[in-house]
Amino acid sequence: MRINLGPFRARIPRVSDRALPEQNATVATGVDLRSGEIRPFRQSALVEAIGAGNWGTIFRWYEDGGTSHWLQFPPDVDVVQGPVADDVWQRIYWTGDIRYGEPRMSYTGPIQTGGGAMPNVSYKLGVPAPASQLSIDPDQEITGDIAQIFNERPIRVQTVEPHGLETGELVNFDIEAESPEAGFNDLAEFLNGNDFQITVTEEDEFTLDNSDAFNIDYSAFISGTFIQYFNPALKDTRFYVHTYVTTLGEEGPPSEPSASVALGHTQKVTLELPLLEPTDAEGRLIEKRRIYRTATGTQSAQFQFVGEVDIAELSFRDEVHTEDLGETLASAEWDPPESTLEGLRVAAQGFGVGHFDNVVAFSEPYRLHAWPTSYQQALDYQVVAIELVDDGVVVGTTGRPYIIQGIEPRSMSPRRLSSNYACVSARSMASLGYAALYATSQGLVMVSGGMAKLITAAVVTEIEWARYAPRTIHAYAHQGRYIGFYDAGGGQQGGFIFDPRSPESGLVDLGFWVKSGFVDPRERFLYLLDADNNILRWDDPDQPPEPFLWRSKTFVTARPLNLSVAKIAADNYPVTMALIADGIRRYQRDVTTPDPFPMPAGYLGREWEIELSGAAHVQDAQIADSYEELE
C-alpha cells in the first residue's frame, strides 16, 4: 500500500475529509500551490509605519518624476489617480471619507503641504453652477454733435468729439441747414428721416456710403446731431450665462440664463457680475468666471464664449462681435457629483464611475469633477459595489447583479443578470480584468461574459462559507488570484486565497488578518496595512520564507496496516513530516534528505493523514508499508 502526494492542492471544505480528491488538503495554510508543489510564501517586508490613527485605506501616489508617497485615509475609502496622462497637477480623487461626507480631490502641492499624514489639504470635488444670473446694462445708441458736413462723394461728416462708431453701422440725422436757394437741394430734407450706412475714416469723421454731394448743390449745413441706428427687425435677442472655473481649469455648469436683451450688431453691453457665494467658495479653488452668450434669439440656442475674468471682478464689458465669439459652452451638464457618491473607479476610456442609493453615475471623460445627471443609470436595487471589467461595469446590489456596457458614458446600457446573487460586502468586490468576484451569503460569485456564477459552489457550502464572515470580507485581485480577509469576531480573523481559473484547487488559508490592502499597478506587489498601521509588502522575494502547514485528506485502507516507510522530495531541507493514524499523531520527523526513511512499527491503522510543514519547496511525498512500494 502506497500513498503518493502530489501535485498538491488546497482545501475543499464542502467535501468530507475522506471523500476529498487525493491531491486536496484538509489544512493548507501559507502555501502557494500554483505550480503543483508546496511553496511557502515569503515573509512580508516593512515598507512604512504610518503611526497611530483610524487608518483603514492606503494608496500609493506618484509625483511627477516617479517619487512615491503613501497616502492614508479612514476605512472604506475608494481612491483613484486622475485619468489624464502626464497630468501636471498629479490629481487624485476619492469617495467614502467619513471626515468630510462628500467626494474629495487633491493634487501635487496641497497633498504634501505641512506635516503628518498625507494628503494634508483637499478640496470638494466638482464645481457648482452660479446661483445668480447676470444683470445686463446695454449701451444706449451713440449720439453726438456734428461739426461740419462736406459736399463730397460720398458725403463726409466731421463730429465735434470722437464718434465711437464702426464701419458698416447705420446712423440717423437731426440737422438744420440754410433754406435752399433756387437751384439748391435741401440738405436737411435729404439727411433727416433716413438711415445711412457709414465708413469710418477718422475717430471724428465718417462718410455716408452711396451718397453723392460732389456734383449736387446742397444747402449749407448749420448745426445738428447724429444718432446710431439699429433696425429693430435686425436686432439680436441675447441671453447670457456664466460659469465658475477653478485653479486647475475645471469648469462647472452655467447659471440660469439672464433676462433677454435685444441689441444691434455692434451694440455693447456692460454685465454686472454677482459676488461668489460663500457656500460655493467654501472648500473649492474657484478663481475665475467665464461668460457666454447666445448668438441667436432663443434660450435654447447655443451659448458661445465671450470672455474670462477673475472671480473678484464685479463687471464685464462685452464688446465682442457675433462673428468673433469663441467656442460653444461645453459644461452645460457638468454637474458636481452627488455628495453621497462612493465606490469611485476610473474606466479605461477615462471616465469615472461611482454609485449612490440605487444609481450608478458616470463622469465626463477625463473630467472627474463633472458628473452629468443625464449619464446616471437607476437600477431596481440598492447598489452595494461596482467594479470595472473588460466588457463593462459589474454592479453588485442587494438583489440581482447588473452589467452596464457602452463605449462612452452617455450611451451606457444596464442589463440585469438572471442569477439572484446579492452582494453582502462592498469591499469584497475585486476585478481580475476578465471578471469581477464578490461575496454573497452563499459563496463567491464571479461575473464574466455577461453571466453570474457561484464560482465556489463546489468548494464550500453556505454553512462553511459563513465561517468566513462574508459581510466583513475585503479582497484584492493579485496575480490572477482573489485574496480576501475576514473578521468573524471573537479573535476569529484570517485571510484566504482563491484562484477562479482553477476552483477545484480549493482555498488556501493565510493565517493572518490585515485592515486593508493596495495593489500597485506599477509593480507586481500587494501591499497590506496591518492592525498596527504598518504598511507591508506581502510575499517579498527578498525576505526569507514563511513556515507553511499542509495536511492531506484522510486516506482509508481496506484493512489495518502499518505504514512504516516514507520519503520526501524537496528542493531543500529540512521538511517536517507527521503521520497521523486513526486520529493519533504516531510519528513526526524533520526530514533532511530525499532518501527513504523508516517509521515506527508496533501499531496498525486504517485512517491515515500526512502533515507537512516547514519552509522548503516540496515536490512530492510518499508513504508506504514497505520499501518495495516506494518509487
Side-chain angles (χ1 to χ4, degrees):
M1 165 69 183
R2 184 184 77 242
I3 297 173
N4 192 30
L5 301 177
F8 297 93
R9 290 182 176 176
R11 297 194 311 117
I12 304 179
R14 77 167 297 137
V15 180
S16 74
D17 293 354
R18 292 185 174 201
L20 282 171
E22 291 190 359
Q23 300 94 336
N24 287 99
T26 57
V27 177
T29 302
V31 287
D32 185 349
L33 303 175
R34 289 176 293 176
S35 65
E37 299 178 0
I38 294 177
R39 294 181 178 179
F41 293 112
R42 297 278 171 169
Q43 294 179 17
S44 297
L46 176 64
V47 175
E48 185 174 326
I50 63 176
N54 182 31
W55 309 122
T57 301
I58 54 174
F59 182 83
R60 196 175 191 181
W61 174 72
Y62 287 88
E63 286 186 67
D64 189 23
T67 302
S68 67
H69 303 274
W70 282 102
L71 310 184
Q72 52 213 67
F73 304 86
D76 304 342
V77 173
D78 292 289
V79 193
V80 298
Q81 191 93 27
V84 178
D86 301 321
D87 178 16
V88 296
W89 301 104
Q90 297 296 300
R91 281 169 280 199
I92 60 166
Y93 306 85
W94 68 94
T95 59
D97 195 327
I98 59 175
R99 297 171 297 180
Y100 305 106
E102 63 193 3
R104 305 292 288 189
M105 66 85 57
S106 193
Y107 62 99
T108 186
I111 289 178
Q112 306 110 302
T113 298
M118 292 189 286
N120 294 24
V121 177
S122 66
Y123 306 93
K124 294 179 181 179
L125 180 57
V127 184
S132 300
Q133 301 164 284
L134 295 175
S135 299
I136 306 170
D137 183 15
D139 288 1
Q140 299 301 310
E141 289 83 354
I142 297 171
T143 185
D145 295 325
I146 299 171
Q148 185 62 47
I149 296 178
F150 299 91
N151 280 9
E152 297 177 359
R153 186 195 316 120
I155 293 173
R156 180 162 58 98
V157 178
Q158 186 179 59
T159 60
V160 174
E161 302 286 344
H163 50 70
L165 298 171
E166 297 182 20
T167 294
E169 290 191 291
L170 302 177
V171 295
N172 288 156
F173 292 96
D174 182 8
I175 70 163
E176 182 180 353
E178 294 179 355
S179 298
E181 301 176 6
F184 281 76
N185 294 288
D186 188 349
L187 180 63
E189 183 180 353
F190 177 65
L191 294 180
N192 293 344
N194 294 303
D195 52 86
F196 295 85
Q197 188 174 44
I198 68 167
T199 297
V200 174
T201 55
E202 299 287 347
E203 65 175 8
D204 61 352
E205 283 188 357
F206 56 84
T207 61
L208 308 183
D209 298 348
N210 305 313
S211 67
D212 191 350
F214 190 75
N215 294 319
I216 301 174
D217 292 326
Y218 279 112
S219 56
F221 170 79
I222 296 177
S223 65
T225 59
F226 70 90
I227 184 169
Q228 191 179 30
Y229 173 74
F230 297 107
N231 187 337
L234 300 178
K235 283 188 174 183
D236 289 332
T237 300
R238 295 184 194 171
F239 297 87
Y240 284 85
V241 296
H242 62 120
T243 64
Y244 293 143
V245 182
T246 70
T247 304
L248 282 63
E250 298 166 334
E251 185 174 13
S255 64
E256 289 295 318
S258 67
S260 65
V261 59
L263 299 170
H265 178 68
T266 59
Q267 197 168 2
K268 312 299 189 296
V269 300
T270 299
L271 304 176
E272 181 182 336
L273 308 179
L275 292 171
L276 175 61
E277 295 285 343
T279 53
D280 292 342
E282 182 182 4
R284 292 189 170 95
L285 294 164
I286 297 170
E287 70 168 17
K288 293 186 181 296
R289 187 193 317 265
R290 288 180 186 160
I291 298 165
Y292 298 82
R293 78 175 197 230
T294 54
T296 56
T298 67
Q299 292 187 45
S300 60
Q302 290 184 324
F303 286 90
Q304 292 180 260
F305 179 74
V306 178
E308 182 178 271
V309 297
D310 288 338
I311 199 64
E313 296 291 329
L314 298 180
S315 66
F316 177 80
R317 179 84 173 153
D318 180 10
E319 298 181 345
V320 180
H321 291 172
T322 298
E323 58 270 21
D324 295 327
L325 290 172
E327 69 275 6
T328 300
L329 172 67
S331 65
E333 296 185 330
W334 289 2
D335 307 298
E338 290 288 329
S339 62
T340 54
L341 187 77
E342 55 186 326
L344 185 61
R345 300 289 186 271
V346 175
Q349 299 93 325
F351 56 84
V353 188
H355 64 88
F356 62 93
D357 299 333
N358 68 323
V359 175
V360 178
F362 300 88
S363 82
E364 194 70 21
Y366 301 101
R367 292 180 172 88
L368 263 64
H369 71 283
W371 294 76
T373 56
S374 60
Y375 294 176
Q376 295 176 0
Q377 298 286 344
L379 309 181
D380 294 335
Y381 307 99
Q382 188 87 3
V383 178
V384 177
I386 59 172
E387 196 55 84
L388 304 171
V389 294
D390 295 339
D391 59 349
V393 180
V394 172
V395 184
T397 75
T398 55
R400 294 182 181 179
Y402 282 74
I403 181 80
I404 303 180
Q405 296 173 305
I407 59 173
E408 52 97 22
R410 71 176 66 247
S411 63
M412 301 300 282
S413 177
R415 180 166 64 88
R416 187 175 64 185
L417 304 185
S418 58
S419 303
N420 190 21
Y421 295 129
C423 179
V424 297
S425 168
R427 298 179 69 200
S428 73
M429 185 175 282
S431 173
L432 293 161
Y434 66 91
L437 276 71
Y438 65 89
T440 72
S441 60
Q442 301 155 277
L444 287 178
V445 164
M446 183 172 75
V447 179
S448 178
M451 298 178 61
K453 178 182 179 181
L454 188 64
I455 192 71
T456 56
V459 178
V460 289
T461 65
E462 188 171 338
I463 294 173
E464 285 116 15
W465 180 242
R467 297 169 187 160
Y468 288 89
R471 294 183 183 277
T472 71
I473 290 175
H474 58 93
Y476 311 90
H478 180 56
Q479 297 180 349
R481 297 169 294 178
Y482 182 92
I483 301 178
F485 298 91
Y486 62 92
D487 183 355
Q492 301 299 309
Q493 299 173 317
F496 63 91
I497 300 175
F498 178 73
D499 189 344
R501 293 168 299 187
S502 55
E504 69 283 353
S505 296
L507 292 168
V508 170
D509 294 305
L510 287 175
F512 65 91
W513 175 85
V514 294
K515 293 198 289 185
S516 69
F518 174 77
V519 179
D520 191 335
R522 301 193 185 194
E523 298 181 349
R524 71 174 189 86
F525 296 116
L526 169 64
Y527 292 89
L528 303 173
L529 179 65
D530 71 12
D532 297 320
N533 285 339
N534 295 314
I535 299 175
L536 309 173
R537 184 186 298 113
W538 178 65
D539 193 24
D540 189 300
D542 296 328
Q543 299 297 313
E546 286 272 17
F548 71 82
L549 178 63
W550 188 93
R551 184 183 296 171
S552 73
K553 64 167 286 184
T554 300
F555 293 89
V556 180
T557 58
R559 57 184 177 81
L561 295 175
N562 174 247
L563 297 181
S564 57
V565 294
K567 70 173 185 176
I568 308 293
D571 69 337
N572 57 74
Y573 296 90
V575 175
T576 301
M577 191 209 82
L579 182 65
I580 302 166
D582 296 335
I584 302 172
R585 188 175 292 261
R586 293 287 187 177
Y587 179 67
Q588 182 168 310
R589 173 186 179 129
D590 287 339
V591 181
T592 57
T593 71
D595 300 326
F597 56 88
M599 294 185 294
Y603 69 92
L604 298 175
R606 298 189 64 171
E607 296 184 0
W608 305 89
E609 300 168 80
I610 299 91
E611 184 179 276
L612 302 172
S613 60
H617 292 191
V618 180
Q619 283 94 35
D620 67 67
Q622 297 180 46
I623 299 92
D625 58 355
S626 68
Y627 281 98
E628 290 76 13
E629 292 285 340
L630 297 179
E631 291 183 352

